[in-house]
Amino acid sequence: MDDHEKLRRFVLRARRVQAHSIVQNWDELLRHAQGSFDGHIDVTGRMTITRRLPADEEVFESLASRVRPLTVKSEPVYYVKVFDAIEHLIREADVDDVLRARLQELRRAWDASEIQGTQVQAYSVQSARIDGSDATNKVSDTQLAAAWLYADLVHADAQGPKQDALAFSLRERYAAAVRVFSHMAALTVATLRIVESLRDAQVLALDDSAWQNDVTIGTSELIEEARAYVAPVGSEVPDMRDSLELTEDWSAFTVTELLRQDPTNHVRVVLRDGNGEITEAHDAAVARRRPDTSVAEWDVLVAGSVMFKFSFDIQGERMTDAHFRGWEAFDSTNGLKLASTRFMLQFHRSTAVAFEVGGSELLSLGPPAISDIEQRELEVIAETVKDIVRIERLSGQTVEPCNGRFDDRDRVRLRRARLLMEGQIVHAMRHPVTVTAPEGKPPQVVVIAAGTLDVGGAEVPTPQTVMRHPAMTAAETGLAPETGPAAKTYRMEPPPGEQFLAWVPGLAEVSGDEDLLVTASWELIGIDEERFSG
């Protein structure tokens, strides 16, 4: 591990020490580091000694744990390795003499705080009976603190000089540890500040991650957006090193699945055609029940996106005379909008929709008839929102739902954007465009900047695209001195009756005109790709 990496790890560890609640109260930390004693003596000569300890023992334990790697020789952030790294990195640098002196002073302070020994840092203790029997060895505060660390906190095997400290109580070991590790925490912060000073003086450079990476959690809750999947018990979970694709045993865990964890919520929705044949079937769930003395109401969630509302008369313990009270289609996201629109298409195409509970039909509905125009509108909405959902997945961006008006030009631009993001080469516009050439030479391609496309209120991201036609013409139309002394503007135009071809560099491979072949058609409802001029 090189010196930069050792120092980067030290900065991360030191920032974690600095963020500790005890260290944040700097005056309190220094009081503990000094290890002062308060004494009170009365007229009889009897003396009372008081040592102030942290209010919460467990909180102090966490501070000692954060400091500990700086005291362990095998750790990359052992203080000796840290100072060696600093000195090596600034050896030839022009460093202020005061700063160098401060660095040496800090190193000596760390050496004096070393816990793997018997040296006295502030005091030592020895005990014996009043008659002089059962006297212990003299034990330094270093030994007491080290014994607390290795016998009481992180280990249970105090060895060497630390064993002598076990003759004293846990209270004595802890009291010594409070002083020693508070002092080390203060030294850690002081060393971090030296490193910051060297960085600010531009004689020491570390990766930005040392200063920017999180070193504390800072919250009592972790809230993340996710998608859950479920499978039968015993199903194999795929190893992400091999594939991110789930097997067919796995399905998305939806609100419907959540509700269906209670078997009493199970509802099956069956759609039939004019011949009585099943065309679609959905596992649905009761999302809400509101019983009354004479009437019960159910809300049934179907396809995770449409809520059907029913009421029933109650006679004794039985529900009779089911009544349909309407439905509500959810459209707060493009995913829900797509699911609800698809289901409503299925619903209106069927001749009967049955709701089954426990294998028995609860009631059957005859869907209201809609005109061919209304059905076509639903189909266009489903087609459009499907493109938006696909672009959301490709871009990793979630956009507002498409709940407003849009036209055929929006649909074409949206479909082209989707296909381009999928790495396809597609037909683009057929009308001429004016471009600026900074070098004053006709461009070989027309570059369309990345942007957004408003489709019914959904601001959909569009990629940077290039357009070309092997037989396009470039007619000079004027000078553009504001973009450069040689800049000119050109009118770029494909041959009459033909269209530019578009692609996204890096997603589609186009090395020459021989590669300029349409790889995907628009295939939009009611739009002729060969004739569309928008």
Side-chain angles (χ1 to χ4, degrees):
M1 183 181 299
D2 66 19
D3 291 331
H4 282 96
E5 178 60 17
K6 290 175 186 174
L7 208 50
R8 187 188 75 86
R9 294 193 184 191
F10 163 74
V11 169
L12 289 171
R13 171 58 57 165
R15 287 176 55 219
R16 184 161 168 76
V17 171
Q18 182 177 245
H20 196 278
S21 59
I22 292 179
V23 180
Q24 290 293 297
N25 188 336
W26 189 250
D27 290 339
E28 178 190 3
L29 178 72
L30 293 183
R31 280 197 299 273
H32 294 318
Q34 292 163 359
S36 60
F37 296 76
D38 293 333
H40 179 268
I41 190 169
D42 63 19
V43 294
T44 68
R46 183 173 182 175
M47 190 170 190
T48 301
I49 298 175
T50 302
R51 289 174 283 181
R52 306 294 179 187
L53 300 175
D56 191 318
E57 179 183 354
E58 293 178 356
V59 172
F60 180 78
E61 287 178 352
S62 72
L63 175 60
S65 297
R66 292 186 184 189
V67 172
R68 179 178 176 267
L70 298 164
T71 73
V72 180
K73 293 181 179 180
S74 60
E75 292 282 355
V77 293
Y78 177 49
Y79 83 89
V80 173
K81 297 177 182 178
V82 171
F83 278 92
D84 286 347
I86 295 173
E87 291 172 1
H88 180 263
L89 291 172
I90 67 170
R91 182 177 302 159
E92 305 300 327
D94 183 15
V95 179
D96 183 82
D97 289 342
V98 173
L99 204 54
R100 283 192 185 274
R102 175 60 179 147
L103 192 61
Q104 293 304 315
E105 180 185 344
L106 266 177
R107 182 158 195 164
R108 287 192 294 271
W110 272 102
D111 288 339
S113 299
E114 170 66 64
I115 65 170
Q116 303 298 337
T118 61
Q119 73 272 24
V120 175
Q121 298 186 34
Y123 65 90
S124 63
V125 294
Q126 186 178 21
S127 70
R129 294 183 180 277
I130 294 177
D131 61 6
S133 62
D134 294 336
T136 67
N137 294 329
K138 286 185 178 180
V139 176
S140 67
D141 50 355
T142 298
Q143 291 168 271
L144 290 167
W148 174 80
L149 181 69
Y150 284 90
D152 304 313
L153 182 60
V154 296
H155 297 291
D157 61 346
Q159 298 177 6
K162 294 183 282 291
Q163 286 185 320
D164 286 343
L166 299 182
F168 293 85
S169 68
L170 171 61
R171 293 171 57 186
E172 287 294 340
R173 295 194 293 271
Y174 175 64
V178 166
R179 197 210 65 77
V180 169
F181 289 105
S182 294
H183 181 55
M184 281 190 172
L187 290 177
T188 301
V189 174
T191 307
L192 175 63
R193 290 172 180 166
I194 284 283
V195 174
E196 289 174 339
S197 297
L198 293 169
R199 176 202 61 186
D200 295 343
Q202 299 184 342
V203 296
L204 189 62
L206 292 178
D207 188 87
D208 288 344
S209 64
W211 310 101
Q212 297 174 0
N213 282 7
D214 291 338
V215 292
T216 59
I217 304 302
T219 182
S220 60
E221 291 183 330
L222 295 178
I223 302 174
E224 299 171 319
E225 290 191 7
R227 185 175 294 275
Y229 293 85
V230 294
V233 175
S235 298
E236 183 176 356
V237 179
D239 190 324
M240 295 175 68
R241 293 169 297 184
D242 301 327
S243 172
L244 295 179
E245 297 295 326
L246 294 171
T247 64
E248 60 183 13
D249 292 337
W250 293 85
S251 60
F253 188 66
T254 62
V255 173
T256 302
E257 290 295 331
L258 176 62
L259 294 169
R260 286 176 64 86
Q261 298 303 300
D262 182 350
T264 63
N265 288 334
H266 287 197
V267 178
R268 186 168 183 259
V269 179
V270 179
L271 287 71
R272 299 181 186 274
D273 60 18
N275 298 320
E277 298 294 327
I278 295 177
T279 57
E280 299 285 345
H282 295 271
D283 287 333
V286 178
R288 185 180 70 91
R289 287 183 175 87
R290 192 172 69 183
D292 205 339
T293 56
S294 59
V295 177
E297 293 183 356
W298 280 15
D299 291 351
V300 178
L301 181 63
V302 185
S305 58
V306 181
M307 193 75 77
F308 282 81
K309 302 174 184 293
F310 304 96
S311 62
F312 308 87
D313 294 334
I314 297 179
Q315 295 181 359
E317 295 183 356
R318 298 187 60 189
M319 294 188 302
T320 62
D321 296 330
H323 305 283
F324 175 57
R325 298 187 293 112
W327 68 73
E328 176 187 2
F330 298 145
D331 57 8
S332 58
T333 69
N334 288 301
L336 284 173
K337 175 88 170 184
L338 178 58
S340 62
T341 304
R342 282 175 166 172
F343 179 78
M344 295 313 295
L345 276 168
Q346 297 171 1
F347 181 70
H348 288 299
R349 287 169 180 162
S350 63
T351 57
V353 179
F355 292 79
E356 300 177 352
V357 175
S360 301
E361 184 176 297
L362 186 66
L363 81 164
S364 181
L365 302 176
I370 61 173
S371 67
D372 291 343
I373 294 176
E374 291 172 318
Q375 179 166 315
R376 178 68 165 271
E377 288 178 350
L378 281 176
E379 291 171 347
V380 168
I381 290 172
E383 178 183 73
T384 302
V385 179
K386 180 180 178 181
D387 281 345
I388 295 174
V389 169
R390 177 62 177 159
I391 289 176
E392 286 181 324
R393 292 174 182 170
L394 289 169
S395 66
Q397 300 180 39
T398 300
V399 302
E400 290 297 310
C402 173
N403 288 328
R405 297 177 62 83
F406 54 86
D407 57 24
D408 285 351
R409 184 169 178 269
D410 295 330
R411 294 172 59 205
V412 169
R413 294 173 65 192
L414 177 67
R415 176 56 59 89
R416 283 198 302 233
R418 168 191 164 179
L419 294 174
L420 288 167
M421 293 174 73
E422 291 176 341
Q424 305 292 346
I425 302 173
V426 300
H427 278 137
M429 61 188 70
R430 62 176 70 249
H431 58 77
V433 293
T434 299
V435 300
T436 298
E439 301 300 323
K441 298 179 181 179
Q444 297 301 303
V445 295
V446 177
V447 179
I448 308 297
T452 58
L453 171 62
D454 186 336
V455 184
E459 292 287 340
V460 182
T462 57
Q464 178 175 294
T465 307
V466 295
M467 298 192 308
R468 176 176 168 78
H469 190 287
M472 67 185 183
T473 58
E476 184 180 330
T477 57
L479 298 176
E482 66 278 3
T483 58
K488 297 178 180 179
T489 58
Y490 290 88
R491 176 186 171 91
M492 312 296 296
E493 189 171 5
E498 297 191 33
Q499 298 161 284
F500 284 107
L501 299 177
W503 71 97
V504 175
L507 296 182
E509 295 295 329
V510 177
S511 56
D513 285 344
E514 67 277 4
D515 296 327
L516 277 179
L517 301 172
V518 171
T519 59
S521 299
W522 302 345
E523 296 181 354
L524 289 165
I525 297 170
I527 294 178
D528 186 340
E529 185 170 345
E530 296 299 325
R531 296 177 180 273
F532 187 80
S533 60

